C-alpha cells in the first residue's frame, strides 16, 4: 500500500510563509469567523479564505475529495438545521418572519398534519451558515496540500508546544511509511491464507470482528518495535535536555506582516463583537 | 518502577506516536479497501486503536493517539483540519486510559468489562464534545448536532470499540506476559 501525503512543493505564494505564521493566521481567522453571523462580515472572511486557496495554486482535481466532503457535510447540516428543524441556533434567527414557501403535508396512516413554513429569514440564515462553514473549511483545507509534513514537529514546537509533544507528532509522521508497509505485508500474508478482505460478509458486528486478522498483527508488531525504540531513545538520554531539530524555521519580514494582520483582524473582530455589539444575524430587509 | 497515570516520558512519547500513526494508516487503509458498511454507516474500525492504546499505556498516550491520529488520517486523505473533531477523538481515547492503572490482567473478564464500559463513556464524551462544538462553529441547533453528528459517530465508534478493544487487549496480554511490563 502506497501511503503518500497530499503535499508537494508548488512554489506558490502561500508556501513562502513560515508554517508557524500560517497556523497563527488560520487560528486567528477561525476564532474571528465564529464570532459573526452577519453575512456582510462573513463575506469578507469568505473572500480571504478563498483567496488563500487560489494563492496556494491548488487544482480542483487534487482537492475534489476534500471539497466534496465539505460541501456534502455543510449541505446536510444546513438542510436539516435551517430548512427542516427551523434554525433556532445560537445565531439567533428571528422567529416568525416573511414566508417564502408554505404547505401542509398529511402523513398517511397516522393522519398527522405537518404545517411547513420556509421564511426569508431562514434562507438568509442558511446562506450565512454556508459562508461560515465554507470559510472555515477552506481555511484549513489548504494546509495538508501546502505544508511540508517534515516541518509539523518543529512548527508546533515553534508555536509553543512542549518538546515532547512536538516530537510525538514528528515521530508519528516518521512511523507512517513503516506501518503502511507492515500493513501491506500482513494483508498479503493473510490473503495467501485465504482471507478475503473485499468479500467480508455478514452483519456489521461480523464485518468489524473480521478486521481483527489485519489489525492485531500490525498493532502487536508495532508495540514490540516500540519497546526497542523506547530503549534506544532512553539510552540516548531523550528528554533530558532541550531538543534541537534538523529542520529549522526562521521568521522573515513577510511572516511578521502576516502575523500582525492576523492579530489585527482578531482584535478588530473582538472589538466589533463585544465593544460595538456588531455582527449578529443580519439580512437585507 | 511505580506506574503513574499522567506520566509523559520516553515510553509515552513513543507509544503515542505509534498509536497515532497506526490510527492514521489503518483509517486510510480501510477507506482504501472500501470495506462495506451497513446502509449509510461507514466502517472505520481503526478508532479502536487509540482506545486500546489508552487502556494499555495510559490516558495521555490515548489522547495523543486519538488526536494526532485523526489529524494524520485527515492529512493522508486530504480532508483538511477539523481541530474540534481531533480534540473529540483525543478525549474518546483518554477516557478508557483512566483505568490504565487498575488493569491487572488484560485477559480477565473483569478488566475486559471495565474497558468496555470506559469505551462507551469515552465515545460519548469525545463525540459529544466534537458534535456540540459544531453548534459553536457551524451554528447548527442541538437537534441537528445530535441527529446528524453525534448519533452516527457514537454508534459506529462504540460498535468498533466494543468489538476490537477486547480482541486487542487479549492479544496484548501475550506481549505483557513475555516482556514482564
Amino acid at each position: 500500500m502506497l501511503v503518500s501525503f497530499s503535499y508537494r512543493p508548488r512554489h506558490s505564494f502561500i508556501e513562502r510563509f513560515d508554517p508557524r505564521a500560517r497556523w497563527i493566521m488560520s487560528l486567528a481567522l477561525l476564532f474571528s469567523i465564529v464570532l459573526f453571523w452577519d453575512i456582510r462580515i462573513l463575506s469578507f472572511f469568505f473572500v480571504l479564505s478563498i483567496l488563500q486557496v487560489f494563492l496556494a495554486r491548488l487544482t480542483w482535481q487534487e482537492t475534489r475529495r476534500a471539497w466534496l466532503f465539505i460541501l456534502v457535510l455543510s449541505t446536510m447540516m444546513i438542510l436539516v438545521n435551517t430548512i427542516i428543524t427551523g434554525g433556532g441556533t445560537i445565531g439567533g434567527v428571528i422567529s416568525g418572519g416573511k414566508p417564502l414557501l408554505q404547505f401542509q403535508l398529511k402523513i398517511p396512516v397516522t393522519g398527522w398534519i405537518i404545517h411547513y413554513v420556509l421564511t426569508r429569514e431562514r434562507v438568509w440564515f442558511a446562506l450565512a451558515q454556508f459562508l461560515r462553514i465554507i470559510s472555515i473549511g477552506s481555511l484549513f483545507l489548504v494546509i495538508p496540500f501546502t505544508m511540508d509534513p517534515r516541518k509539523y514537529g518543529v512548527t508546533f514546537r515553534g508555536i509553543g508546544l512542549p518538546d515532547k509533544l512536538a516530537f510525538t507528532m514528528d515521530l508519528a509522521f516518521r512511523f507512517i511509511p513503516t506501518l503502511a508497509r507492515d500493513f501491506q505485508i500482513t494483508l498479503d500474508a493473510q490473503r495467501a491464507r485465504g482471507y478475503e478482505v473485499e468479500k467480508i460478509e455478514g452483519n456489521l458486528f461480523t464485518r468489524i470482528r473480521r478486521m481483527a486478522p489485519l489489525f492485531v498483527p500490525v498493532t502487536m508488531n508495532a508495540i514490540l518495535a516500540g519497546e526497542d525504540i523506547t530503549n534506544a531513545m532512553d539510552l540516548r538520554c531523550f528528554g533530558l535536555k532541550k531538543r534541537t531539530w534538523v529542520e529549522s524555521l526562521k521568521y522573515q519580514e513577510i511572516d511578521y506582516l502576516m502575523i500582525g494582520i492576523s492579530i489585527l483582524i482578531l482584535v478588530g473582530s473582538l472589538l466589533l463583537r463585544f465593544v460595538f455589539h456588531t455582527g449578529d444575524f443580519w439580512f437585507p430587509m | 518502577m511505580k506506574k503513574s497515570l499522567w506520566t509523559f516520558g520516553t515510553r509515552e512519547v513513543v507509544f503515542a506516536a505509534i498509536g497515532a500513526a497506526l490510527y492514521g494508516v489503518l483509517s486510510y487503509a480501510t477507506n482504501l479497501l472500501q470495506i462495506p458498511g451497513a446502509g449509510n454507516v461507514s466502517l472505520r474500525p481503526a478508532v479502536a486503536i487509540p482506545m486500546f492504546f489508552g487502556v494499555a499505556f495510559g490516558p495521555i498516550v490515548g489522547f495523543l493517539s486519538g488526536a494526532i491520529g485523526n489529524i494524520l488520517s485527515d492529512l493522508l486523505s486530504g480532508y483538511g483540519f477539523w481541530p474540534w473533531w481531533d480534540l473529540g477523538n483525543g478525549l474518546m481515547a483518554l477516557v478508557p486510559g483512566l483505568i490504565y492503572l487498575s488493569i491487572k490482567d488484560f485477559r480477565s473478564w473483569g478488566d475486559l468489562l471495565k474497558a468496555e464500559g470506559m469505551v462507551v463513556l469515552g465515545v460519548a464524551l469525545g463525540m459529544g464534545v466534537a458534535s456540540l462544538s459544531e453548534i459553536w462553529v457551524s451554528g447548527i441547533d442541538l437537534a441537528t448536532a445530535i441527529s446528524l453528528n453525534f448519533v452516527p459517530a457514537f454508534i459506529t465508534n462504540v460498535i468498533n470499540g466494543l468489538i476490537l478493544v477486547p480482541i486487542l487487549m487479549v492479544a496484548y496480554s501475550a506481549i505483557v506476559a513475555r516482556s514482564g511490563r
Side-chain angles (χ1 to χ4, degrees), chain A residues 3-20:
Chain A
V3 174
S4 61
F5 289 98
S6 319
Y7 172 78
R8 65 176 172 80
R10 292 175 168 77
H11 311 292
S12 65
F13 179 69
I14 282 295
E15 284 166 275
R16 283 193 213 164
F17 292 95
D18 186 295
R20 292 168 296 178

Side-chain angles (χ1 to χ4, degrees), chain A residues 173-184:
Chain A
F173 276 95
R174 287 165 196 263
F175 281 140
I176 282 183
T178 316
L179 291 176
R181 186 203 57 199
D182 287 355
F183 178 81
Q184 186 61 55

